[in-house]
Amino acid sequence: MNNNQSEPSTSKEYMDHMRKRPSMYIGNDGVAGLLRGFLVDCIELCKSDKITFKIIISGDDDFSIHLESPNDLTVIVEKFNEDRLSQHYFPNVMKALSGKFDLNFSNKNNLEINFSIDHGIFSDVIDSIKLDEKIITVALLNRQSEIVTIDNRKKYFTQNYYHFPEGIFYLFNRATKEVLGKPEFLLTFDDTINSRNYQIGLAYRTDWFPKPNIISFANDVHTVCGGSLVDGVMDGLINACRIYVKENNLSTFKIKRKKFLNGLVLVCTVRGAEFIYGGSWKETLESEEVKKDAKKLMSKLALEFFRTHKEQTDKFLWRFDTEQFASGMY
């Protein structure tokens, strides 16, 4: 028995399958989800985020995308003509779901795509605000990319430009500036370890009560449920605290994991080869290598901070001193 007999086997069958079940490929976000997926696929296909995207909305059903890059964009054009469904399939889906599709490839560094929605497939109207919400994250995680959206439908001409050379530190800086009280304990890292690039921003609010603010990503996936990177950062911080407490004979200090969450601000991302994701919605990073890297890194960074910033360290570690709290707090 052929276990794959229900799978589409020809280019036409793939196209028909995409047209009948578009949400299987683009999710429930309509054109906004389609465009976000396309941008991510372009970056991954080029193996570089040094691409300028210009998305022009000319009508409720029509838009065009202009790409310009020092990279060779031929690999993207080839995807549109691929006769099978494989990884980075958003170019195939875009073509399959179009009512009108025109591709202008003037040279290897410039590409223009004109697209109209086929309302026989899905009755979506292009929502520019929803689109901007989706692609902001793409620009944040791909620091060399530049994304311009232009909406010609409005009463007044609307144009937005997204470029974040600081990456996710834009989110971290906002989070630390907007909290009540300036964080006394703050650590950042932006570099490559074992061929994976990490951006980590960690800080603690000065007051005790606040719930943690944790935002994490792996490649272009928002790991809402955390996982390896977040766990590794926290394990490294806990390890550094235990070493410091032991070095300084702080016998009344009891290092407990639950105490680390109060007032925590953590924004982090890792980029590298394909990762494995777990959980019901695949929003948890599962990578022992990332966890090991993050733990070792954060343990080193935190311990260096503790040893050179006694005043800030004392303000951070007071939460673990059993003499500071009445019985019942532990």
Side-chain angles (χ1 to χ4, degrees):
M1 179 178 178
N2 181 5
N3 293 328
N4 297 319
Q5 67 183 76
S6 63
E7 290 291 323
S9 58
T10 68
S11 177
K12 184 177 184 303
E13 287 175 341
Y14 276 124
M15 295 281 279
D16 290 341
H17 195 267
M18 287 184 277
R19 292 172 68 86
K20 290 177 181 178
R21 301 172 181 84
S23 61
M24 287 183 61
Y25 299 91
I26 64 175
N28 297 320
D29 292 317
V31 177
L34 173 63
L35 288 173
R36 182 196 180 279
F38 176 72
L39 299 188
V40 171
D41 275 0
C42 288
I43 291 169
E44 292 184 354
L45 286 166
C46 290
K47 295 182 172 59
S48 170
D49 59 2
K50 200 166 187 178
I51 306 175
T52 298
F53 300 93
K54 184 185 291 184
I55 302 172
I56 302 173
I57 303 171
S58 52
D60 287 343
D61 306 331
D62 304 291
F63 64 85
S64 61
I65 310 174
H66 302 250
L67 289 78
E68 183 177 348
S69 175
N71 303 297
D72 188 345
L73 301 177
T74 304
V75 65
I76 300 172
V77 176
E78 291 173 345
K79 268 290 174 180
F80 282 109
N81 299 318
E82 199 170 68
D83 60 358
R84 61 189 179 88
L85 192 64
S86 62
Q87 188 181 19
H88 307 120
Y89 56 76
F90 276 92
N92 306 73
V93 177
M94 181 179 291
K95 188 174 181 179
L97 303 186
S98 64
K100 178 190 72 179
F101 181 86
D102 177 61
L103 190 149
N104 181 9
F105 190 40
S106 56
N107 62 67
K108 68 178 184 179
N109 305 116
N110 291 272
L111 172 63
E112 178 182 341
I113 303 150
N114 295 298
F115 177 96
S116 69
I117 300 168
D118 187 340
H119 283 300
I121 303 172
F122 62 105
S123 57
D124 198 16
V125 173
I126 301 172
D127 185 334
S128 61
I129 296 176
K130 184 176 181 180
L131 172 61
D132 284 353
E133 290 172 350
K134 290 292 178 183
I135 64 176
I136 284 174
T137 305
V138 178
L140 281 166
L141 298 174
N142 297 277
R143 301 160 67 174
Q144 296 185 95
S145 68
E146 298 177 72
I147 306 176
V148 181
T149 61
I150 299 172
D151 192 345
N152 290 324
R153 301 171 300 172
K154 305 293 178 100
K155 180 178 179 180
Y156 298 102
F157 177 78
T158 304
Q159 176 171 311
N160 293 306
Y161 171 71
Y162 302 105
H163 177 50
F164 302 95
E166 71 274 44
I168 57 96
F169 285 146
Y170 170 79
L171 297 178
F172 179 67
N173 292 336
R174 278 189 57 178
T176 54
K177 287 177 181 176
E178 292 173 358
V179 297
L180 296 174
K182 182 179 178 181
E184 295 284 347
F185 177 30
L186 188 150
L187 297 173
T188 60
F189 179 82
D190 185 2
D191 208 342
T192 300
I193 303 173
N194 295 327
S195 301
R196 292 179 287 270
N197 180 259
Y198 291 85
Q199 271 197 300
I200 299 172
L202 181 147
Y204 276 89
R205 295 178 57 170
T206 53
D207 45 349
W208 168 256
F209 179 72
K211 293 181 179 180
N213 180 8
I214 301 174
I215 305 172
S216 65
F217 301 92
N219 287 337
D220 289 281
V221 176
H222 184 187
T223 47
V224 177
C225 299
S228 305
L229 179 55
V230 173
D231 292 344
V233 168
M234 299 309 298
D235 287 348
L237 181 58
I238 292 169
N239 186 56
C241 288
R242 287 173 175 163
I243 293 173
Y244 182 82
V245 164
K246 186 175 180 180
E247 286 179 347
N248 292 272
N249 297 313
L250 302 175
S251 59
T252 62
F253 285 64
K254 303 299 181 184
I255 305 300
K256 295 188 177 182
R257 179 177 286 270
K258 66 180 181 179
K259 298 291 182 181
F260 281 91
L261 294 178
N262 293 322
L264 170 66
V265 177
L266 174 61
V267 181
C268 53
T269 182
V270 57
R271 299 195 69 85
E274 287 296 314
F275 295 119
I276 296 174
Y277 303 94
S280 300
W281 301 100
K282 304 301 180 185
E283 294 174 327
T284 305
L285 177 62
E286 296 183 350
S287 169
E288 285 302 315
E289 293 84 4
V290 168
K291 186 175 180 179
K292 182 179 178 181
D293 286 346
K295 178 179 178 180
K296 183 177 180 180
L297 169 66
M298 187 52 59
S299 182
K300 180 176 181 292
L301 291 178
L303 198 54
E304 289 176 350
F305 182 91
F306 294 154
R307 288 167 175 168
T308 56
H309 297 81
K310 187 178 186 308
E311 183 179 351
Q312 290 96 323
T313 299
D314 289 343
K315 288 181 179 180
F316 170 64
L317 291 179
W318 70 274
R319 67 183 66 200
F320 303 113
D321 187 356
T322 57
E323 290 187 346
Q324 299 291 328
F325 298 99
S327 176
M329 290 293 289
Y330 278 77

